[in-house]
């Protein structure tokens, strides 16, 4: 599946048989003349198909099957995107093949962008529950989550940037929401190419070195870090602030080492019940600046949490993207488009 006909965004594991991912908003792009796309997919996931940036299909997969999607059929070349809009936490999805109708033809693949952004976050970055309402049933999480409506995807798309969304609902820096799976915090999940599958793969005795992500695969120019909501929200006890600051700064140091010259945007928001996140992240920002780092900015954002389980609504995700866009443009030294 690692064909020269396709370009990939997000973290993907490529084998001779398939390409596998667990990342929200993981995307495959290609140019083709076609009247029908045939997508050989496996894994519990929701997918969106775009033609020239406009949605033409949304569907759900589970066991391996070929999904057929009718497209232009006008004899002209179009840009197609297959986007995984659901989260796999845990879990993952496989793409075995993308083929065209008998008269279809792949064209030269999309060129890599000169702009590269990485987003590291939690459910706010995933687009968790964005298509739902606060009072919807809990089981609506899967169908209400749409990573292509998250501020992360909207920002990357508006800048025509290559991107990664490495975000994990319910996970934190030193403490997960209500202390769920405490051994799998964001810094540990972040080490793996397919973090949604890493616990299972490791449990089967697969050598961890084969699962670890190669940070040379993608060098972002700007990294947006929006972490900590789950460390200080939900049922107490909450995360230790000293440990949080240490782990957060260690993540920044790791990223600086992996991506020389990278710029950071540290994002925070008001949380319930103690509003501990913003002053804690601001303290980290101040400490980084005092240590001589001039490669980062800090912003506190405000969201309308009327979607499922009190998460940002579609409108709020758009507003969040609009708030962050000029700061990212300044850090990346990019134009507005």
């Amino acid at each position: 599946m690692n064909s020269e006909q396709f370009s990939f965004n997000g973290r993907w594991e490529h084998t001779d048989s398939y390409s596998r991912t667990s990342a929200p908003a993981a995307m495959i792009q290609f140019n083709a003349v076609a009247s029908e796309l045939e997508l050989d997919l496996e894994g519990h996931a929701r997918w969106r198909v775009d033609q020239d940036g406009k949605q033409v299909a949304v569907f759900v997969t589970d066991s391996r099957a070929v999904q057929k999607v009718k497209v232009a059929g006008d004899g002209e070349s179009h840009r197609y995107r297959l986007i995984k809009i659901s989260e796999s936490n845990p879990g993952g999805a496989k793409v075995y093949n993308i083929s065209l109708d008998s008269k279809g033809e792949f064209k030269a693949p999309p060129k890599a962008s000169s702009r590269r952004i990485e987003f590291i976050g939690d459910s706010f970055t995933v687009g968790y529950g964005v298509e739902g309402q606060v009072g919807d049933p809990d089981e609506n999480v899967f169908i209400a989550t749409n990573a292509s409506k998250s501020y992360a995807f909207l920002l990357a798309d508006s800048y025509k940037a290559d991107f990664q969304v490495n975000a994990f609902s319910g996970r934190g820096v030193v403490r997960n929401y209500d202390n769920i799976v405490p051994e799998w915090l964001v810094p540990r999940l972040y080490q793996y190419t397919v973090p949604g599958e890493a616990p299972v793969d490791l449990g089967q005795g697969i050598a961890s070195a084969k699962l670890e992500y190669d940070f040379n695969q993608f060098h972002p120019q700007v990294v947006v870090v929006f972490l900590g909501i789950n460390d200080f929200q939900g049922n107490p006890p909450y995360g230790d602030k000293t440990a949080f600051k240490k782990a957060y700064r260690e993540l920044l140091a790791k990223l600086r080492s992996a991506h020389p010259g990278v710029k950071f945007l540290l994002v925070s928001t008001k949380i319930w019940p103690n509003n501990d996140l913003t002053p804690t992240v601001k303290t980290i920002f101040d400490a980084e600046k005092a240590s001589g780092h001039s490669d980062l900015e800090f912003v506190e954002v405000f969201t309308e949490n009327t979607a499922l389980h009190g998460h940002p609504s579609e409108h709020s995700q758009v507003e969040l993207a609009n708030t962050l866009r000029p700061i990212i443009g300044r850090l990346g030294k990019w134009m507005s488009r």
Side-chain angles (χ1 to χ4, degrees):
M1 183 57 210
N2 189 11
S3 169
E4 295 181 355
Q5 296 166 328
F6 308 108
S7 68
F8 294 82
N9 278 274
R11 291 186 183 179
W12 291 83
E13 172 201 19
H14 300 292
T15 74
D16 291 340
S17 301
Y18 57 77
S19 293
R20 180 172 70 150
T21 188
S22 64
M27 181 170 73
I28 302 174
Q29 295 188 91
F30 56 96
N31 295 319
V33 176
S35 58
E36 186 174 76
L37 311 180
E38 297 183 357
L39 312 168
D40 188 355
L41 309 171
E42 182 180 24
H44 188 51
R46 288 180 75 219
W47 302 86
R48 165 179 162 177
V49 177
D50 284 4
Q51 177 181 293
D52 298 330
K54 295 182 179 180
Q55 179 179 303
V56 294
V58 172
F59 56 85
V60 174
T61 58
D62 210 325
S63 58
R64 184 176 177 180
V66 175
Q67 301 288 328
K68 296 184 178 182
V69 178
K70 295 291 185 183
V71 291
D74 57 5
E76 301 293 327
S77 180
H78 296 274
R79 173 72 53 85
Y80 294 102
R81 309 194 295 193
L82 173 65
I83 310 164
K84 180 175 164 292
I85 62 175
S86 60
E87 183 177 15
S88 299
N89 183 21
K94 295 176 181 177
V95 181
Y96 289 92
N97 192 35
I98 296 176
S99 57
L100 310 175
D101 57 278
S102 60
K103 295 182 180 180
E105 180 185 4
F106 286 106
K107 297 297 184 178
K111 294 181 180 179
S113 175
S114 62
R115 301 169 179 174
R116 299 178 300 279
I117 312 176
E118 179 178 2
F119 301 88
I120 306 175
D122 51 36
S123 55
F124 277 40
T125 303
V126 166
Y128 178 104
V130 67
E131 294 182 327
Q133 303 293 322
V134 168
D136 288 348
D138 290 348
E139 59 266 25
N140 282 22
V141 171
F142 180 73
I143 62 172
T145 295
N146 189 333
S148 69
K149 293 184 177 181
S150 75
Y151 76 89
F153 185 88
L154 297 175
L155 277 169
D157 199 35
S158 68
Y159 273 116
K160 296 180 173 60
D162 289 336
F163 65 91
Q164 288 189 356
V165 178
N166 296 312
F168 315 92
S169 293
R171 308 301 176 92
V173 178
V174 296
R175 180 259 195 189
N176 291 334
Y177 187 83
D178 283 356
N179 206 35
I180 59 171
V181 286
E183 70 276 19
W184 286 98
L185 300 160
V186 169
R188 186 181 182 195
L189 289 164
Y190 187 70
Q191 297 303 309
Y192 297 100
T193 305
V194 189
E197 297 281 11
V200 175
D201 291 347
L202 289 168
Q204 294 175 348
I206 299 174
S208 61
K210 295 180 180 178
L211 304 173
E212 291 176 355
Y213 179 65
D214 178 3
F215 287 90
N216 287 317
Q217 295 294 315
F218 180 78
H219 289 296
Q221 296 150 313
V222 180
V223 176
V224 179
V225 183
F226 193 177
L227 288 170
I229 294 173
N230 297 304
D231 292 89
F232 303 113
Q233 195 162 266
N235 294 312
Y238 302 120
D240 179 82
K241 293 177 185 177
T242 299
F244 179 89
K245 294 172 188 176
K246 180 176 182 292
Y248 197 116
R249 295 190 70 185
E250 286 175 349
L251 176 61
L252 296 180
K254 177 182 179 65
L255 291 165
R256 286 192 182 101
S257 178
H259 313 300
V262 69
K263 306 295 184 182
F264 300 99
L265 176 57
L266 311 186
V267 184
S268 181
T269 191
K270 184 176 182 178
I271 59 171
W272 182 90
N274 299 323
N275 197 26
D276 286 334
L277 181 59
T278 293
T280 304
V281 176
K282 182 61 164 57
T283 298
I284 293 169
F285 172 75
D286 290 341
E288 290 284 309
K289 298 289 280 189
S291 297
H293 295 296
S294 59
D295 56 2
L296 70 173
E297 293 197 25
F298 165 81
V299 63
E300 181 182 16
V301 298
F302 300 92
T303 57
E304 175 189 83
N305 300 329
T306 57
L308 185 64
H309 297 156
H311 281 77
S313 63
E314 292 187 43
H315 171 75
S316 191
Q317 289 281 5
V318 171
E319 289 299 305
L320 183 52
N322 290 340
T323 298
L324 301 184
R325 185 173 293 106
I327 309 175
I328 290 173
R330 184 165 64 248
L331 288 169
K333 298 181 179 179
W334 301 331
M335 296 174 61
S336 61
R337 294 178 64 93

